Amino acid sequence: MDHDVNGAVRNPPSRLVVGISGASGVIYGARVLDALNELGVESHLVVTRAALLTLSQETDLTPDELTAKASVLHRLNDVGATIASGSFRTLGMIVAPCSVRTMSEIATGVTSTLLTRAADVVLKERRPLVLMVRETPFHLGHLRTMTALTEMGAIIAPPLPAFYARPESIADIVDQSVGRALDLFGLDWEPVRRWDGLKGPA
């Protein structure tokens, strides 16, 4: 039974908010969109201007090619978008990659764009917010910001390589990080190589 007696939908709709901000690693966001398409999950995309600049430097994708991967594209300054309201039900939100500026803005709750407003909404509604933070090394201010966000309910998930998966290419490394981030929403993406125990002598 999908409905409670008051008519409220018990199971959330299969849609995920995707933010792409201006850190290195825009390919993570692009592959998140590809994965959601393969999984049949509706994606609601919002992209910063800095992310589009990074896109031109790190990939051969055009802005139109990137945004065409999304089910729904939202303008960065559209504060009246569906994803700006908690009444618009989603599985949560992933920011891939997440810049330190974006992370810091979310942590303060003083949001200036639809991307950070949508993240704030996900937090207040107690839905999963996964931030694929891209920076290194971290200084104490970064670490304190990540601690504050974790205390608020966000999940800090830097895209770090998992060498037990025996990646053979950069694409393998990217897909493993994306798949493990999607695991946090209960989404099982086929390219993920899962640990199945030690091989050979211990």
Side-chain angles (χ1 to χ4, degrees), residues 28 131-136 138 156-165 167 172-178 180-181:
Y28 291 109
L131 304 178
M132 297 183 75
V133 179
R134 270 287 298 117
E135 184 59 272
T136 189
F138 295 116
I156 308 299
L160 303 175
F163 291 107
Y164 69 81
D172 287 345
I173 294 172
V174 169
D175 284 358
Q176 184 74 11
S177 291
V178 166
R180 293 291 287 119

Side-chain angles (χ1 to χ4, degrees), residues 28-202:
Y28 291 109
R31 289 301 283 158
V32 165
L33 294 171
D34 289 336
L36 296 179
N37 280 326
E38 291 176 26
L39 293 167
V41 176
E42 183 178 292
S43 57
H44 286 254
L45 174 65
V46 58
V47 186
T48 68
R49 296 178 186 87
L52 294 178
L53 178 61
T54 305
L55 181 76
S56 71
Q57 300 301 302
E58 295 186 347
T59 78
D60 294 325
L61 290 170
T62 66
D64 286 345
E65 288 171 336
L66 175 68
T67 57
K69 295 174 181 287
S71 307
V72 180
L73 174 65
H74 298 280
R75 298 191 314 275
L76 186 64
N77 62 353
D78 184 7
V79 294
T82 52
I83 59 175
S85 172
S87 65
F88 184 72
R89 302 187 69 208
T90 69
L91 296 172
M93 180 174 183
I94 183 169
V95 184
C98 182
S99 67
V100 166
R101 174 177 177 171
T102 296
M103 174 184 75
S104 302
E105 192 168 310
I106 296 167
T108 65
V110 182
T111 58
S112 64
T113 68
L114 178 60
L115 192 157
T116 51
R117 166 60 186 169
D120 191 66
V121 165
V122 166
L123 284 177
K124 80 179 181 67
E125 298 293 329
R126 308 300 194 268
R127 298 169 187 157
L129 173 64
V130 175
L131 304 178
M132 297 183 75
V133 179
R134 270 287 298 117
E135 184 59 272
T136 189
F138 295 116
H139 62 57
L140 184 57
H142 297 153
L143 296 172
R144 284 176 172 163
T145 300
M146 285 188 273
T147 297
L149 280 163
T150 301
E151 291 171 343
M152 293 161 64
I155 301 171
I156 308 299
L160 303 175
F163 291 107
Y164 69 81
R166 296 291 186 95
E168 297 178 358
S169 65
I170 292 175
D172 287 345
I173 294 172
V174 169
D175 284 358
Q176 184 74 11
S177 291
V178 166
R180 293 291 287 119
L182 293 177
D183 279 351
L184 298 168
F185 300 95
L187 299 172
D188 185 6
W189 190 36
E190 192 274 335
V192 176
R193 297 182 183 179
R194 304 200 178 276
W195 176 253
D196 60 358
L198 292 172
K199 303 295 188 296

Side-chain angles (χ1 to χ4, degrees), residues 3-16:
H3 293 77
D4 292 323
V5 292
N6 65 358
V9 177
R10 182 176 298 164
N11 298 315
S14 186
R15 61 169 73 110
L16 190 69

